[in-house]
Amino acid sequence: QANHLATYEGSSPSQATLRRSVSTAYYALFHLLIGEAALHRRGSSPAAQTGLERAFSHKLMSSSSAQFNNSHWKDWHAVVQPVPTELKAVAEAFFTLQQERHSADYNNHLLWSPIEVETVLATAATAFTNWFAIRDHPLAGDYLLLMLVGKQR
């Protein structure tokens, strides 16, 4: 959808369309991650999965991504774990895309070029690729849990 928005008006897209494309790219990654978290909760009803998805907050997801945007993460038992490259890249992309969405949605003085939007869309596409490469790693589950509950005591 984000790619479609960025290109359907041709070579001179409107600012509204470019902004919407940037916002859509962020929300695509947002919904991928909360959907993955809901899938980890096996055996729950569709209503319970929806409730879990609605429990995520953008702010907590951003701060959790900042924690995983490092080479190491101190796990729930205070053991330092190396963060796999792909997971670090997903966390960095989430944080970056959220910042770009804020700019697109709230900074009307900023003018977007199609090339800048292409860069944002490439960041989102790479995040999807990285997520599917790392999603079964134990730290990927920790990342999703941290996004829901925040940092441990």
Side-chain angles (χ1 to χ4, degrees):
Q1 184 65 37
N3 287 322
H4 172 73
L5 285 167
T7 59
Y8 87 96
E9 290 181 340
S11 62
S12 296
S14 68
Q15 284 297 302
T17 298
L18 293 174
R19 290 174 190 284
R20 191 70 221 146
S21 177
V22 169
S23 188
T24 300
Y26 163 74
Y27 278 109
L29 184 57
F30 172 84
H31 286 288
L32 171 69
L33 294 174
I34 66 173
E36 289 283 298
L39 286 175
H40 276 84
R41 185 173 151 73
R42 304 200 193 299
S44 63
S45 69
Q49 287 180 334
T50 298
L52 178 62
E53 290 171 354
R54 290 184 178 169
F56 283 86
S57 89
H58 296 275
K59 184 176 182 179
L60 185 53
M61 291 176 76
S62 179
S63 65
S64 299
S65 291
Q67 289 183 46
F68 270 84
N69 188 12
N70 291 301
S71 58
H72 291 83
W73 180 69
K74 193 179 285 189
D75 72 12
W76 308 104
H77 300 288
V79 175
V80 176
Q81 300 283 337
V83 177
T85 303
E86 295 90 348
L87 185 56
K88 182 181 181 302
V90 169
E92 181 178 6
F94 185 89
F95 188 83
T96 299
L97 289 170
Q98 189 181 70
Q99 297 301 314
E100 297 289 12
R101 182 196 71 87
H102 283 226
S103 292
D105 287 353
Y106 303 115
N107 185 352
N108 293 327
H109 300 289
L110 178 66
L111 297 178
W112 290 83
S113 73
I115 292 172
E116 290 169 322
V117 173
E118 283 178 30
T119 301
V120 170
L121 300 183
T123 298
T126 301
F128 269 69
T129 300
N130 283 326
W131 178 257
F132 288 116
I134 198 67
R135 72 195 287 196
D136 293 325
H137 191 283
L139 276 184
D142 288 334
Y143 174 58
L144 294 174
L145 181 61
L146 186 66
M147 290 178 122
L148 178 63
V149 300
K151 189 63 175 163
Q152 67 279 6
R153 294 185 248 166

